[in-house]
Amino acid sequence: MSLPDCHIRDCAAIKFDAIVLPGGMPGAEHLRDSSTLTTLLSEQISSNRLVGAICAAPAVVLGSLEGGIGLPIQSTGYPAQSFTKILNDNNVDKSSQDKGVVVSTCKNFVTGQGPGLALQFSLTVGELIFGVEKRN
């Protein structure tokens, strides 16, 4: 079993270079239901700092943020019908939904489809934070 370094409420005042959301259910629902996390995400997005989400998290977590601030037009996520509907309801470009990993050109976001693309997603997040030399 994996344990966190600290409780999220103890991290609420920290400014993160990136917040990356894992996917999977019901984990994505638990993330969505954390008011501390949604506050952190809203601050992260409004400050144009990196947000990453993979699998169910783009639709379930980012798609539920107030004011529609959570999903950029270019996003992807797990290609299940219920998640695709959320992406469509948030006006996500359909052509980007078919891609494995999407770096948004309009916001500081990276999204990934699911477990089969976790390595590519992680390398992309690393590249956005540390540069292409570190990725390679």
Side-chain angles (χ1 to χ4, degrees):
M1 180 161 97
S2 176
L3 296 174
D5 294 333
C6 65
H7 193 281
I8 191 168
R9 70 176 165 261
D10 299 328
C11 303
I14 298 173
K15 303 280 189 250
F16 294 98
D17 293 330
I19 295 177
V20 181
L21 307 170
M25 295 295 277
E29 293 170 321
H30 297 305
L31 296 173
R32 176 200 62 207
D33 296 341
S34 168
S35 61
T36 304
L37 179 60
T38 57
T39 299
L40 282 167
L41 285 168
S42 294
E43 162 71 19
Q44 190 83 359
I45 293 164
S46 66
S47 299
N48 200 35
R49 293 189 308 268
L50 183 62
V51 173
I54 190 167
C55 196
V60 175
V61 182
L62 300 179
S64 68
L65 291 177
E66 298 240 356
I69 65 167
L71 275 171
I73 291 173
Q74 295 122 345
S75 297
T76 192
Y78 193 76
Q81 185 176 10
S82 59
F83 301 141
T84 303
K85 180 181 181 333
I86 295 169
L87 297 178
N88 291 335
D89 290 349
N90 280 272
N91 299 314
V92 171
D93 178 53
K94 287 185 185 353
S95 66
S96 68
Q97 294 178 37
D98 293 333
K99 297 179 180 168
V101 174
V102 175
V103 177
S104 174
T105 57
C106 63
K107 292 186 179 179
N108 205 8
F109 279 86
V110 59
T111 53
Q113 277 193 338
L117 290 146
L119 181 58
Q120 181 183 349
F121 174 78
S122 300
L123 289 169
T124 302
V125 170
E127 179 180 339
L128 292 170
I129 297 170
F130 301 109
V132 70
E133 288 180 8
K134 292 283 186 188
R135 175 189 175 131
N136 295 334

